[in-house]
């Protein structure tokens, strides 16, 4: 995707920053050290103008260089002087002079960002922006809509941002990306992050952790809204499926209970009917609560069977005469399980009302 991308080696982030910006191995640590030494000598000569015997000059000589150190760090002065060779200039992004120009960041070509001793480049290649941070395993795609937010976030975190002014040297990546646009499905990992994640993958992850990971995709690729929309759609479908499963389970339980009630009715009807009847005046008092409940249940089931028999008789009277070659239609064939359950409930309510009326007449 990007012709030249230089990952972090040691603390030479300034070197990687410049080479990522120019898209080539244009600067080495030796060359940058030479620029830093030249800057140190120029500062020493300016301090000597006040007198080589002055206290300030002797203090200056005892202090380490502010332009480089043994770790490979180089100052903004070194980077600025290195870019002057290519006719490029650095302007502080949040300076009043630049802010008065009111330039939209997407209309620039590149930025150099610095926090403490770390430097990295954000550059436009073709028609797309890329974060060329040498601490990443590869370039990170940044959408136009996210660029301004990305720079504002860096400033809030304490970064100094410099706008690179001038014409950058031609590179193959810029020419290729002028013709095509790339898509990035996954944010590049930080150096060392892959090793840490491989250790974490040995541990089982909960569904909550995986959901959080899906719900927080990386910023900057323009895919955040789409991922969030897909995630919310998946949650909605999941909730609908759960509701449907609950309704179906309730319906199955109701049908099962209805079938159990029908079997109890058949069993009660098959019992001998030679149970002696007690006088009406003392029958209720002499029956136990369990026996009373069983008789009421038997009465209820018997009433229900009578109603069903009446319904079948009515259906036979109302059914049109069919020819002998026409198969007999099933009166309940087109009824759904929900209709059957509703019909059973209606018959149950009707039986209860008839039973109550009978008890009142007695």
């Amino acid at each position: 995707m990007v012709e030249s991308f230089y990952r972090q080696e040691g603390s030479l982030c300034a070197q990687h920053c410049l080479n990522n910006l120019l898209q080539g191995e244009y600067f080495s640590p030796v060359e940058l050290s030479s620029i830093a030494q030249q800057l140190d000598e120029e500062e020493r000569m300016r301090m000597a103008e006040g007198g080589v015997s002055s206290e300030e000059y002797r203090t200056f000589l005892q202090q380490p260089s502010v332009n480089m150190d043994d770790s490979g760090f180089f100052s903004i002065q070194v980077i600025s002087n290195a870019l002057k060779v290519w006719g490029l200039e650095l302007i502080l992004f949040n300076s009043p002079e630049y802010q008065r120009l009111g330039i939209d960041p997407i209309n620039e070509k590149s930025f150099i960002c610095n926090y403490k001793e770390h430097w990295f480049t954000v550059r436009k290649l073709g028609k797309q922006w890329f974060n060329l941070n040498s601490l990443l395993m590869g370039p990170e795609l940044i959408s136009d809509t996210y660029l301004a937010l990305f720079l504002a976030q860096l400033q809030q975190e304490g970064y100094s941002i410099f706008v690179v002014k001038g014409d950058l040297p031609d590179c193959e990546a810029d020419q290729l990306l002028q013709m095509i646009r790339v898509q990035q499905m996954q944010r590049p990992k930080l150096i060392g992050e892959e090793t840490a994640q491989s250790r974490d993958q040995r541990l089982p992850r909960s569904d909550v952790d995986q959901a959080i990971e899906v719900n927080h995709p990386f910023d900057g690729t323009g895919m955040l809204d789409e991922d969030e929309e897909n995630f919310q759609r998946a949650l909605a479908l999941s909730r609908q499926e759960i509701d449907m499963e609950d309704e179906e389970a309730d319906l199955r339980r109701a049908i099962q209970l209805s079938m159990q009630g029908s079997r109890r009715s058949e069993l009660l009807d098959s019992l001998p009917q030679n149970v002696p009847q007690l006088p009406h005046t003392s029958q209720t008092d002499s029956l136990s609560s369990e026996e009373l409940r069983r008789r009421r249940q038997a009465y209820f089931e018997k009433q229900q069977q009578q109603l069903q028999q009446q319904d079948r008789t009515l259906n036979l009277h109302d059914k049109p005469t069919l020819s002998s070659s026409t198969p007999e239609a099933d009166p309940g064939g087109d009824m759904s399980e929900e209709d059957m359950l509703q019909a059973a409930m209606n018959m149950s309510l009707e039986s209860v009302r008839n039973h109550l009326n009978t008890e009142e007449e007695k």
Side-chain angles (χ1 to χ4, degrees), residues 24-79:
E25 297 183 11
Y26 292 100
F27 293 100
S28 66
V30 176
E31 292 169 331
L32 294 179
S33 297
S34 176
I35 296 175
Q37 291 173 0
Q38 183 180 354
L39 289 172
D40 289 343
E41 182 62 20
E42 292 175 358
E43 292 179 11
R44 187 194 65 79
M45 293 176 63
R46 285 194 298 269
M47 294 297 298
E49 293 176 357
V52 294
S53 59
S54 64
E55 185 67 24
E56 293 180 357
Y57 181 75
R58 289 196 297 268
T59 302
F60 172 78
L61 294 179
Q62 294 174 359
Q63 292 178 349
S65 173
V66 295
N67 294 302
M68 67 176 182
D69 59 24
D70 296 337
S71 68
F73 165 78
F74 295 98
S75 66
I76 181 61
Q77 289 80 10
V78 174
I79 294 177

Side-chain angles (χ1 to χ4, degrees), residues 65-271:
S65 173
V66 295
N67 294 302
M68 67 176 182
D69 59 24
D70 296 337
S71 68
F73 165 78
F74 295 98
S75 66
I76 181 61
Q77 289 80 10
V78 174
I79 294 177
S80 179
N81 279 25
L83 291 177
K84 286 180 181 178
V85 178
W86 294 91
L88 301 173
E89 180 185 4
L90 295 180
I91 301 177
L92 190 62
F93 178 68
N94 61 348
S95 64
E97 294 79 12
Y98 181 79
Q99 292 298 320
R100 279 197 294 267
L101 299 177
I103 301 176
D104 193 324
I106 63 173
N107 295 325
E108 299 290 357
K109 298 179 180 179
S110 58
F111 300 91
I112 287 181
C113 308
N114 166 248
Y115 180 70
K116 295 183 178 180
E117 297 183 354
H118 181 60
W119 300 89
F120 69 91
T121 293
V122 177
R123 171 174 172 166
K124 191 173 189 178
L125 292 168
K127 300 178 182 180
Q128 295 175 283
W129 284 91
F130 295 89
N131 174 13
L132 305 179
N133 193 335
S134 58
L135 293 180
L136 296 174
M137 297 294 293
E140 177 187 10
L141 180 63
I142 301 177
S143 66
D144 289 350
T145 55
Y146 182 66
L147 177 63
L149 180 61
F150 178 74
L151 296 176
Q153 182 179 356
L154 290 178
Q155 285 184 302
Q156 191 175 23
E157 293 175 358
Y159 275 82
S160 298
I161 302 176
F162 300 90
V163 185
V164 181
K165 289 292 187 180
D167 295 328
L168 296 168
D170 294 333
C171 65
E172 184 178 351
D174 184 63
Q175 296 172 0
L176 179 62
L177 292 175
Q178 291 286 350
M179 299 181 290
I180 62 173
R181 295 180 66 88
V182 298
Q183 293 183 350
Q184 189 172 51
M185 303 306 296
Q186 185 176 6
R187 179 184 183 275
K189 297 181 176 63
L190 290 169
I191 296 176
E193 182 180 4
E194 188 170 5
T195 304
Q197 286 187 351
S198 63
R199 291 196 302 266
D200 295 340
Q201 288 174 355
R202 299 191 190 101
L203 301 175
R205 295 193 305 167
S206 65
D207 295 339
V208 176
D209 295 334
Q210 296 179 12
I212 292 175
E213 181 178 344
V214 174
N215 199 27
H216 292 81
F218 70 94
D219 294 331
T221 63
M223 297 185 294
L224 177 60
D225 295 337
E226 183 179 355
D227 290 346
E228 178 68 18
E229 181 180 354
N230 292 336
F231 179 65
Q232 295 298 334
R233 188 183 300 114
L235 288 179
L237 291 174
S238 177
R239 285 193 292 267
Q240 290 177 3
E241 292 176 357
I242 292 174
D243 293 340
M244 291 175 61
E245 291 176 358
D246 291 342
E247 292 177 0
E248 292 176 357
D250 293 340
L251 182 59
R252 285 195 298 269
R253 285 194 295 269
I255 294 173
Q256 184 177 5
L257 291 174
S258 177
M259 295 175 63
Q260 291 176 355
S262 177
R263 286 194 294 269
R264 284 198 303 270
S265 175
E266 296 174 358
L267 179 62
L268 292 173
D269 290 340
S270 64
L271 293 175

Side-chain angles (χ1 to χ4, degrees), residues 280 357-362:
H280 179 70
N357 293 335
T358 303
E359 292 294 332
E360 290 177 358
E361 293 176 357
K362 292 180 179 180

